[in-house]
Coordinates of all heavy atoms in Angstrom, one line a residue:
L201 N 6.4 -16.4 11.9 CA 6.4 -16.3 10.4 C 5.1 -15.9 9.8 O 5.0 -15.2 8.8 CB 6.9 -17.6 9.8 CG 8.4 -18.0 10.2 CD1 8.7 -19.4 9.6 CD2 9.3 -16.9 9.8
S202 N 4.0 -16.4 10.4 CA 2.7 -15.9 9.9 C 2.5 -14.4 10.1 O 2.0 -13.7 9.3 CB 1.5 -16.7 10.7 OG 1.5 -18.0 10.4
A203 N 3.0 -13.9 11.3 CA 2.9 -12.5 11.5 C 3.7 -11.7 10.5 O 3.3 -10.7 9.9 CB 3.4 -12.2 12.9
A204 N 4.9 -12.3 10.2 CA 5.7 -11.6 9.2 C 5.1 -11.6 7.8 O 5.1 -10.5 7.1 CB 7.1 -12.3 9.1
C205 N 4.4 -12.7 7.5 CA 3.6 -12.7 6.2 C 2.6 -11.7 6.1 O 2.5 -10.9 5.2 CB 3.1 -14.2 6.1 SG 2.1 -14.3 4.6
Y206 N 1.8 -11.6 7.2 CA 0.7 -10.6 7.2 C 1.1 -9.1 7.3 O 0.5 -8.2 6.8 CB -0.4 -11.0 8.2 CG -1.0 -12.3 7.8 CD1 -0.9 -13.5 8.5 CD2 -1.8 -12.3 6.6 CE1 -1.4 -14.6 8.1 CE2 -2.4 -13.5 6.2 CZ -2.2 -14.7 6.9 OH -2.8 -15.9 6.5
I207 N 2.3 -8.9 8.0 CA 2.9 -7.6 8.0 C 3.4 -7.2 6.7 O 3.2 -6.1 6.2 CB 4.0 -7.5 9.0 CG1 3.4 -7.6 10.5 CG2 4.8 -6.2 8.9 CD1 4.4 -7.8 11.6
G208 N 3.9 -8.2 5.9 CA 4.3 -8.0 4.5 C 3.2 -7.6 3.6 O 3.3 -6.7 2.8
I209 N 2.0 -8.3 3.8 CA 0.9 -8.0 3.0 C 0.3 -6.6 3.3 O 0.0 -5.8 2.5 CB -0.2 -9.1 3.2 CG1 0.2 -10.4 2.6 CG2 -1.6 -8.6 2.7 CD1 -0.7 -11.5 3.1
A210 N 0.3 -6.3 4.7 CA -0.1 -4.9 5.0 C 0.8 -3.9 4.5 O 0.4 -2.8 4.0 CB -0.1 -4.9 6.6
G211 N 2.1 -4.2 4.5 CA 3.1 -3.2 3.9 C 2.9 -3.0 2.5 O 3.0 -1.8 2.0
A212 N 2.5 -4.0 1.7 CA 2.3 -3.9 0.3 C 1.1 -3.0 0.1 O 1.0 -2.2 -0.8 CB 2.1 -5.3 -0.3
A213 N 0.0 -3.2 0.9 CA -1.2 -2.3 0.8 C -0.8 -0.9 1.1 O -1.4 0.0 0.4 CB -2.2 -2.9 1.7
V214 N 0.0 -0.6 2.1 CA 0.4 0.7 2.4 C 1.2 1.3 1.2 O 0.9 2.5 0.8 CB 1.3 0.8 3.7 CG1 2.0 2.2 3.8 CG2 0.5 0.4 4.9
A215 N 2.1 0.6 0.6 CA 2.9 1.1 -0.5 C 2.1 1.4 -1.7 O 2.2 2.4 -2.4 CB 4.0 0.1 -0.9
G216 N 1.1 0.5 -1.9 CA 0.2 0.7 -3.1 C -0.7 1.9 -2.8 O -1.0 2.6 -3.8
S217 N -1.2 2.1 -1.6 CA -2.0 3.2 -1.3 C -1.2 4.6 -1.5 O -1.8 5.5 -2.1 CB -2.5 3.2 0.1 OG -3.3 2.0 0.3
I218 N 0.0 4.6 -1.0 CA 0.8 5.8 -1.2 C 1.0 6.1 -2.7 O 0.9 7.2 -3.2 CB 2.1 5.7 -0.4 CG1 1.8 5.6 1.1 CG2 3.0 6.8 -0.8 CD1 3.1 5.3 1.9
A219 N 1.4 5.1 -3.4 CA 1.6 5.2 -4.9 C 0.4 5.8 -5.6 O 0.4 6.7 -6.4 CB 2.0 3.9 -5.5
H220 N -0.8 5.2 -5.2 CA -2.0 5.6 -5.9 C -2.4 7.1 -5.5 O -2.7 7.9 -6.3 CB -3.2 4.7 -5.5 CG -4.5 5.1 -6.1 ND1 -4.8 4.8 -7.4 CD2 -5.6 5.7 -5.6 CE1 -6.0 5.2 -7.7 NE2 -6.5 5.8 -6.6
T221 N -2.3 7.5 -4.2 CA -2.7 8.8 -3.8 C -1.8 9.9 -4.3 O -2.2 11.0 -4.5 CB -2.8 8.8 -2.3 OG1 -1.6 8.5 -1.7 CG2 -3.9 7.9 -1.7
T222 N -0.5 9.6 -4.5 CA 0.4 10.6 -4.9 C 0.5 10.8 -6.4 O 0.9 11.9 -6.9 CB 1.9 10.3 -4.4 OG1 2.2 9.0 -4.9 CG2 1.9 10.4 -2.9
R223 N 0.0 9.8 -7.2 CA -0.1 10.0 -8.6 C -1.4 10.3 -9.2 O -1.5 10.6 -10.4 CB 0.6 8.8 -9.3 CG -0.3 7.5 -9.2 CD 0.3 6.4 -10.1 NE -0.4 5.2 -9.9 CZ 0.0 4.1 -9.4 NH1 1.2 4.0 -8.9 NH2 -0.8 3.0 -9.3
T224 N -2.5 10.1 -8.4 CA -3.8 10.2 -8.9 C -4.3 11.7 -8.7 O -4.2 12.2 -7.6 CB -4.9 9.3 -8.2 OG1 -4.4 8.0 -8.4 CG2 -6.3 9.5 -8.7
R225 N -4.6 12.4 -9.8 CA -4.8 13.8 -9.8 C -6.3 14.2 -10.0 O -7.0 13.6 -10.7 CB -3.9 14.5 -10.8 CG -2.5 14.2 -10.7 CD -1.6 15.1 -11.6 NE -1.8 16.5 -11.2 CZ -1.1 17.1 -10.2 NH1 -0.3 16.4 -9.5 NH2 -1.3 18.4 -9.9
F226 N -6.6 15.3 -9.4 CA -7.9 16.1 -9.8 C -7.4 17.2 -10.7 O -6.9 18.2 -10.3 CB -8.5 16.7 -8.5 CG -9.0 15.7 -7.5 CD1 -8.3 15.4 -6.4 CD2 -10.2 15.1 -7.7 CE1 -8.7 14.6 -5.4 CE2 -10.7 14.2 -6.8 CZ -10.0 13.9 -5.6

C-alpha cells in the first residue's frame, strides 16, 4: 500500500508535467 501511494504521487507528477508541457507556449 505504501508502494501504491508513492506510485500514485509519481503518476500525479507525470500527469501534471504533461499538462504543463503541452499547454505552455513559446
Side-chain angles (χ1 to χ4, degrees):
L201 296 178
S202 293
C205 178
Y206 292 112
I207 291 168
I209 291 170
V214 170
S217 298
I218 293 171
H220 181 76
T221 56
T222 54
R223 69 172 178 246
T224 302
R225 304 192 63 79
F226 297 102

